[in-house]
Amino acid sequence: MSTDTEHVEEGGETSSSVLESWADWYHLPIIGAVMLFMFWVRTQSYDRFVTDDGTPALAGVDSWYHWRTIQWTSENYPRTMPYEVWTGFPDGNQVGQFGTLFDQLIVTVAMIVGLGDPSPETLYTVALLSIPAMAALVAIPVFYMGRRLGGTIGGIVSIVVLALTPGSFFSRSLVGQLDHHVGEALFMAIAVLAMMVAVRVAEREQPIYELVADRDRDALREPAIYSVLAGLALSFYIWVWPSAVVLIGIFGVFFVVQLSLDYLRGISPDHVAFVGAISLGVTAVVSTVLIEDPGFSVSSFGYVQPLTALLVAGGCLFMAWLARTWNARGFDRRYYPVAIVGIIGASMLVMWLAIPELYSTLVGNVTGRLLPLDPSTGALTISEAQPPDDFTGRAFDEFGAAFYTMLAGLALLVARPFLGRELRAEYTLIVVWALFMISMAATQVRFMYYLAVAVAVVNAVFVADVIRLFDLDIRPGLDSLRGIETYQVIVLLLVVVLLFAPLLPPMAADDTTTWERGQNTGPSGGAMTWQEANHWLAGNTPEPGNWGGADNADELDYYGTYDPDDGYEYPEGAYGVMSWWDYGHLITTQAERIPHSNPFQQNAVSSSAYLTADSEERAELILDAIAAGESPSDQTDAELESMAEDATHEEMRYVMIDHEMAGGKFSAISQWTGPDYEHYYGTTDYQVGGGEQGLPAPNENYYNTTMASLYHDDADGMEHYRLVHENDDYAFVGAMQIGQSLRPHYSLEFSRLGIDTGWSENAETYAAELEEARANDEIYQGIGGAPMWDAEVVSTVKTYERVEGATITGQVDDEENVLADDATVTAEVELETEPGRTFTYEQTADVEDDGSFELTVPYATNDELGVDDGYTNSSVEALDGEYDVTIGEPGEDGFEGQTEVSETAVVQGDSVTVDLEQVELEDPDANDTDENDDADGDEEGADGENDDADETDGNETDDNETDGADGDDGAETEDE
């Protein structure tokens, strides 16, 4: 039997034989071949991410922000971005886990390739390929970790499992996924491997306190060197991802367990404590140097990283000292672990009293990241940060049977002492680390990419023990081949089938192998949908700093460096963009404008408060409170007025809303400020098969929200908002059935249903038919197999401008008493968007007893101002060039007049006077004709389109009721 388990520690005689040399080095070409496969399979869709005009096309929202930090680092090399003023308006933000060693490494490679001055094309190419390259590099530490546990064969099995795993690790390391996740996996694996080596060397060299006191450098040199290297590896991991402080906690648990086990077995805890003190001490020093954001946030380089490392280092020294004191006092060894647990509990109590912020951070990360106990509201609105609904089912989908053989491997490691075999400290480390990887994956589904590394590594133990159990000799060489028995071949085949059957065709399910998924990847649909709107915003709005005629754009350099210490003050003419936090990075990178909220979840509460405000007046108070430096949430209007008293020039000027915000993401938007999501929908009876059926649909509370008033009604009836752009691709938005689920808020893009995406005759037909179905409380059938009710055809992204609004004033002399006592004045203008969709804006107001009136309107009838003047080039035009102003009932005597409303009056809040004449008001219903013949013709064409759409019925996507900008998955965004 041979598994070559001790290869790394046992020498052998050198042989000139080619076969024996091959037996010693055969793993190197195998590692190389696996790495090449891992790189190739992840780059199959490379061409989809390279556009003809050089515009970036990336997968996932966070990828766009890494592209931002990579560009910034390239312009400011070797510095990385510490503080960002192009997001989180009006405060800016510490970017934390962006602008780290991950970005710096990518730019460094680009600098080498570009000979010190990489072109944008070179930088983009290197950025795209760096992710698959890092994924391939993960195979190196995984091999050596597996080799330490199960010999060379075990190491090879580990990297093959890693290479064939088609789940989160694979999807997050594809070309186009410009995100730090794969960097996390790489540097975590290096850190764990380095710690494995360090504790093994310490066990062999046995450093103790007396050697330190005697300064015996020869005896301490090797364990000290490997301990320092382990500390540096951990520091590099933290430098890639500040939240890697979780690994410090995992190492802390390992040292508590291992030192306790050593003491119980009569082994000096000094050996392993030496490693813990030095390695974590080094980490504390390095992470102190990295501090950028003094505070206790785990997502930025602050106090948490060095303090936790220092606590673990000090804890190791304390446990070693306590063991010596325990011996000196003659206490029973069995109570030593109990004392340690009690001291840890007391220490946490002291921390809670003395440093509550650090305590809250540590406990919050334990319950929200390490253990599935108490996820926060913010985490629950991120799709990738939610716990999996069915953990074991998800694990099998990700790893196949390899997940269960990994559990068997862990059991075999734990059972080693009971089987009379050696239990090394590095084995304990792997058990503790792997169990925490399982727990983290059960806490947040995104951590499956971490679990993939643990699954690959621990399977080396399973394979090695199977080989040992059946006395298999599978080393390369003719002698070992001749000695294999039939039953041993059968065992080998069974092991191979068990590990790899669910990962290889034809036994794998359709489209689940790595090469199939690698072929089917492409740029993020959501990001590319927003690109049209953001590019319009970049070209048709003033640069931040130039709004309203200010000339301060030079003070907001897109690649500039800013000091947050005293609080950054935006210059006059700067402005923010209101949207949901999912899209903040896209607004920053694609539009080069400053979003209020972002995937760091900064300002998510105030964005939610604004979008769910139940009146325009309340929405305005919220924006004024934001301009005053406040963070409004669910305050009363009176409280908001008080908060807004110190409002400055730092205002939100634009609002961007997409079909997903009005659809599946609305439930997440409502969670942040309340009321609960159920407040926004109810049950309505609809005609189904000749009878009535109660179906969930948006209610009046939903349609009263600021978001719905803007997105669904084009700001109709609002005074300070106007539509200035909409995308020329459309979606069905509203209540519909997806699979077996009845959704009160959902959206389906035309592109997903095989429908012409632009505003066309088909889109108009669908819109008219849906409107008729809504009016009759009927279900609309036949689009992509998704029955719809209370649904509309709406542009995928709409952009609104916040303006002062022009006040139309006038006076009528009702000598003939043709008006009712409660007469109202109505102003209407017909408008057309750039894609060709028309709609009517209407505003009403009461007529005073003296016949005077005034009403405020946000739409202009001309384009006298534009970007050069510091304002907006609106793409929404007034068709007739005038507002129609009327008082009275249609078909009866009343008053009528027309007036132009200039762009200047709209943006500056000027008044416009209109003269009205007494006339008989036209009754539009009197001129109605039967247009059913034409409609029938259109409907027939629509049905033909529906037949094509029906073919895509199986193209159903994942549940979209929670955020995840990457569909990450997204959007994966993970940034809390």
Side-chain angles (χ1 to χ4, degrees):
M1 180 279 294
S2 175
T3 62
D4 200 22
T5 305
E6 305 298 330
H7 183 89
V8 292
E9 298 174 18
E10 296 180 357
E13 296 182 1
T14 303
S15 173
S16 60
S17 166
V18 174
L19 286 178
E20 290 187 4
S21 296
W22 168 250
D24 289 336
W25 302 104
Y26 73 96
H27 59 280
L28 294 180
I30 293 176
I31 294 172
V34 170
M35 291 176 65
L36 285 174
F37 170 78
M38 292 177 69
F39 181 79
W40 166 78
V41 78
R42 286 165 168 79
T43 56
Q44 294 177 89
S45 300
Y46 173 81
D47 290 344
R48 298 181 186 176
F49 296 92
V50 181
T51 59
D52 294 336
D53 60 0
T55 302
L58 298 166
V61 169
D62 284 353
S63 298
W64 287 87
Y65 200 73
H66 268 298
W67 176 236
R68 155 78 170 144
T69 54
I70 286 169
Q71 287 180 300
W72 193 97
T73 300
S74 178
E75 293 288 332
N76 296 273
Y77 191 80
R79 291 181 296 161
T80 55
M81 180 186 290
Y83 177 72
E84 168 76 289
V85 302
W86 283 79
T87 195
F89 188 87
D91 303 306
N93 194 33
Q94 291 282 352
V95 295
Q97 52 202 339
F98 293 85
T100 65
L101 180 63
F102 171 83
D103 308 274
Q104 199 171 49
L105 288 173
I106 293 173
V107 176
T108 299
V109 173
M111 286 285 180
I112 295 171
V113 174
L115 303 178
D117 186 21
S119 65
E121 293 76 16
T122 298
L123 190 65
Y124 184 59
T125 300
V126 171
L128 283 180
L129 297 178
S130 63
I131 305 304
M134 286 186 186
L137 289 172
V138 176
I140 296 176
V142 164
F143 170 79
Y144 285 102
M145 292 167 73
R147 192 184 197 190
R148 299 189 67 84
L149 298 174
T152 301
I153 295 299
I156 291 173
V157 168
S158 292
I159 60 174
V160 172
V161 169
L162 184 72
L164 296 178
T165 296
S168 298
F169 175 75
F170 179 75
S171 64
R172 292 175 184 273
S173 57
L174 287 164
V175 65
Q177 287 283 356
L178 187 55
D179 208 341
H180 52 260
H181 299 308
V182 66
E184 296 172 42
L186 173 61
F187 282 89
M188 180 194 65
I190 293 172
V192 175
L193 173 61
M195 190 62 75
M196 290 175 69
V197 175
V199 295
R200 182 56 182 161
V201 170
E203 283 184 320
R204 186 180 67 232
E205 300 298 325
Q206 298 183 348
I208 57 176
Y209 171 74
E210 286 74 14
L211 293 175
V212 176
D214 293 341
R215 298 184 180 181
D216 190 340
R217 296 181 180 177
D218 291 337
L220 297 175
R221 180 179 295 109
E222 190 173 1
I225 289 174
Y226 281 102
S227 297
V228 169
L229 291 175
L232 289 174
L234 178 56
S235 300
F236 288 142
Y237 176 36
I238 292 171
W239 195 359
V240 166
W241 188 51
S243 298
V245 67
V246 296
L247 188 57
I248 296 178
I250 293 171
F251 283 168
V253 173
F254 155 70
F255 284 118
V256 169
V257 172
Q258 186 61 43
L259 295 179
S260 298
L261 286 175
D262 285 346
Y263 185 70
L264 290 173
R265 294 185 300 163
I267 300 172
S268 173
D270 286 10
H271 313 328
V272 174
F274 179 88
V275 176
I278 293 182
S279 62
L280 273 299
V282 168
T283 301
V285 172
V286 174
S287 54
T288 299
V289 175
L290 295 175
I291 291 177
E292 292 177 345
D293 181 20
F296 293 95
S297 169
V298 297
S299 60
S300 299
F301 297 117
Y303 297 144
V304 173
Q305 292 84 2
L307 283 177
T308 51
L310 198 59
L311 284 173
V312 174
C316 290
L317 293 176
F318 174 79
M319 287 186 68
W321 169 83
L322 184 63
R324 288 172 174 266
T325 303
W326 208 267
N327 280 339
R329 299 291 178 90
F331 295 151
D332 191 327
R333 288 179 179 269
R334 291 175 297 176
Y335 298 119
Y336 175 81
V338 177
I340 293 298
V341 172
I343 292 170
I344 291 174
S347 300
M348 295 300 292
L349 178 61
V350 172
M351 185 188 300
W352 175 64
L353 294 172
I355 319 176
E357 193 171 355
L358 177 60
Y359 173 86
S360 298
T361 298
L362 295 180
V363 172
N365 276 271
V366 168
T367 58
R369 291 179 187 265
L370 289 174
L371 301 173
L373 298 176
D374 184 26
S376 65
T377 297
L380 289 177
T381 60
I382 308 172
S383 60
E384 64 178 22
Q386 297 181 42
D389 294 333
D390 177 10
F391 173 72
T392 55
R394 178 63 182 261
F396 187 81
D397 291 341
E398 295 258 347
F399 315 114
F403 175 72
Y404 297 100
T405 54
M406 173 240 201
L407 297 179
L410 286 175
L412 289 169
L413 280 179
V414 172
R416 287 180 70 91
F418 305 102
L419 300 175
R421 300 170 61 189
E422 180 185 16
L423 178 63
R424 302 178 186 172
E426 60 183 323
Y427 297 162
T428 306
L429 172 61
I430 290 300
V431 170
V432 171
W433 168 69
L435 289 176
F436 270 110
M437 293 303 101
I438 294 172
S439 179
M440 288 173 66
T443 303
Q444 295 188 16
V445 69
R446 71 188 183 96
F447 288 133
M448 285 289 180
Y449 63 84
Y450 275 155
L451 183 55
V453 179
V455 167
V457 168
V458 180
N459 264 288
V461 178
F462 173 77
V463 170
D465 278 15
V466 169
I467 290 173
R468 181 180 289 106
L469 178 64
F470 290 94
D471 197 27
L472 301 176
D473 186 354
I474 55 175
R475 290 175 298 173
L478 295 177
D479 293 339
S480 61
L481 291 176
R482 294 191 189 102
I484 295 180
E485 301 289 342
T486 302
Y487 81 93
Q488 294 174 323
V489 174
I490 295 173
V491 170
L492 283 175
L493 289 175
L494 288 175
V495 170
V496 171
V497 170
L498 182 63
L499 281 175
F500 304 119
L503 309 178
L504 293 167
M507 293 170 283
D510 293 340
D511 194 32
T512 58
T513 63
T514 53
W515 41 86
E516 288 172 333
R517 291 189 174 181
Q519 291 171 347
N520 296 328
T521 188
S524 169
M528 304 316 292
T529 296
W530 273 72
Q531 194 168 65
E532 178 189 341
N534 282 327
H535 285 181
W536 180 91
L537 196 70
N540 295 277
T541 62
E543 294 183 48
N546 285 352
W547 195 91
D551 189 20
N552 298 316
D554 291 343
E555 297 182 31
L556 275 171
D557 183 0
Y558 191 63
Y559 298 109
T561 301
Y562 304 92
D563 184 5
D565 291 343
D566 299 324
Y568 180 76
E569 293 290 338
Y570 285 86
E572 190 80 27
Y575 58 87
V577 179
M578 173 63 73
S579 189
W580 188 229
W581 64 259
D582 281 19
Y583 307 108
H585 291 341
L586 298 178
I587 294 169
T588 296
T589 56
Q590 294 178 346
E592 296 190 11
R593 296 298 182 263
I594 311 175
H596 174 60
S597 57
N598 49 49
F600 301 117
Q601 292 194 326
Q602 181 187 14
N603 298 324
V605 171
S606 50
S607 293
S608 172
Y610 172 83
L611 293 168
T612 59
D614 57 10
S615 68
E616 182 178 9
E617 293 75 19
R618 179 172 176 81
E620 288 292 277
L621 287 172
I622 290 171
L623 294 189
D624 288 341
I626 292 171
E630 303 287 348
S631 298
S633 55
D634 57 354
Q635 292 85 0
T636 65
D637 288 359
E639 290 171 334
L640 289 173
E641 287 182 13
S642 178
M643 294 170 66
E645 287 179 355
D646 298 325
T648 67
H649 64 274
E650 297 171 333
E651 298 181 0
M652 244 45 68
R653 293 293 177 188
Y654 299 94
V655 181
M656 302 181 78
I657 301 172
D658 81 333
H659 64 102
E660 291 191 336
M661 291 168 61
K665 291 186 179 181
F666 182 72
S667 63
I669 293 173
S670 66
Q671 284 184 35
W672 287 82
T673 51
D676 294 338
Y677 177 51
E678 289 76 12
H679 177 74
Y680 296 100
Y681 70 89
T683 301
T684 304
D685 290 333
Y686 291 88
Q687 299 297 319
V688 180
E692 290 187 347
Q693 179 179 348
L695 299 174
N699 60 19
E700 184 178 1
N701 296 324
Y702 169 77
Y703 286 112
N704 284 339
T705 63
T706 301
M707 187 185 69
S709 298
L710 291 171
Y711 186 72
H712 290 289
D713 297 336
D714 298 315
D716 189 36
M718 303 181 79
E719 296 182 341
H720 303 294
Y721 296 90
R722 62 175 181 174
L723 178 69
V724 291
H725 178 264
E726 70 176 19
N727 277 8
D728 191 20
D729 55 327
Y730 294 82
F732 299 105
V733 183
M736 61 189 74
Q737 180 177 344
I738 301 298
Q740 299 301 312
S741 300
L742 305 178
R743 308 291 178 85
H745 299 98
Y746 202 74
S747 64
L748 285 173
E749 293 176 84
F750 279 11
S751 58
R752 285 175 55 189
L753 302 174
I755 301 173
D756 177 22
T757 60
W759 185 254
S760 63
E761 187 174 335
N762 271 337
E764 289 187 86
T765 300
Y766 293 138
E769 292 174 352
L770 282 167
E771 184 176 357
E772 182 179 357
R774 292 178 66 199
N776 297 327
D777 290 335
E778 294 177 345
I779 293 180
Y780 185 72
Q781 300 277 1
I783 301 177
M788 302 178 186
W789 56 96
D790 204 354
E792 303 173 65
V793 172
V794 195
S795 173
T796 52
V797 185
K798 289 184 174 184
T799 303
Y800 304 86
E801 182 181 14
R802 184 187 182 204
V803 294
E804 290 294 325
T807 300
I808 300 176
T809 64
Q811 176 86 34
V812 295
D813 185 4
D814 187 19
E815 294 181 352
E816 300 181 12
N817 293 319
V818 299
L819 300 179
D821 292 338
D822 58 350
T824 59
V825 57
T826 301
E828 290 185 345
V829 62
E830 189 174 7
L831 302 152
E832 183 178 43
T833 66
E834 190 173 16
R837 183 180 68 89
T838 60
F839 65 96
T840 300
Y841 170 82
E842 178 180 289
Q843 183 65 281
T844 62
D846 292 332
V847 178
E848 301 296 332
D849 293 340
D850 63 357
S852 65
F853 61 85
E854 65 176 39
L855 39 73
T856 303
V857 297
Y859 286 97
T861 57
N862 62 34
D863 294 324
E864 63 185 4
L865 298 177
V867 172
D868 293 340
D869 306 297
Y871 299 102
T872 307
N873 287 334
S874 175
S875 67
V876 177
E877 305 287 344
L879 290 178
D880 298 328
E882 291 181 320
Y883 275 84
D884 290 323
V885 183
T886 60
I887 303 176
E889 298 297 327
E892 299 178 2
D893 285 344
F895 295 86
E896 182 180 63
Q898 289 77 37
T899 184
E900 294 181 350
V901 175
S902 69
E903 184 83 3
T904 300
V906 165
V907 298
Q908 295 184 1
D910 295 342
S911 294
V912 177
T913 301
V914 61
D915 295 324
L916 303 185
E917 296 180 354
Q918 183 172 337
V919 296
E920 182 180 346
L921 299 178
E922 181 180 353
D923 184 357
D925 294 335
N927 296 323
D928 284 351
T929 57
D930 188 358
E931 298 177 355
N932 289 336
D933 292 340
D934 293 338
D936 289 342
D938 290 340
E939 185 173 352
E940 182 178 352
D943 287 342
E945 187 69 35
N946 290 344
D947 290 340
D948 294 336
D950 286 345
E951 296 178 8
T952 67
D953 187 20
N955 190 26
E956 183 182 325
T957 60
D958 292 337
D959 185 293
N960 195 27
E961 289 204 40
T962 54
D963 295 343
D966 50 349
D968 214 356
D969 57 18
E972 145 350 18
T973 87
E974 97 262 358
D975 311 311
E976 299 96 310

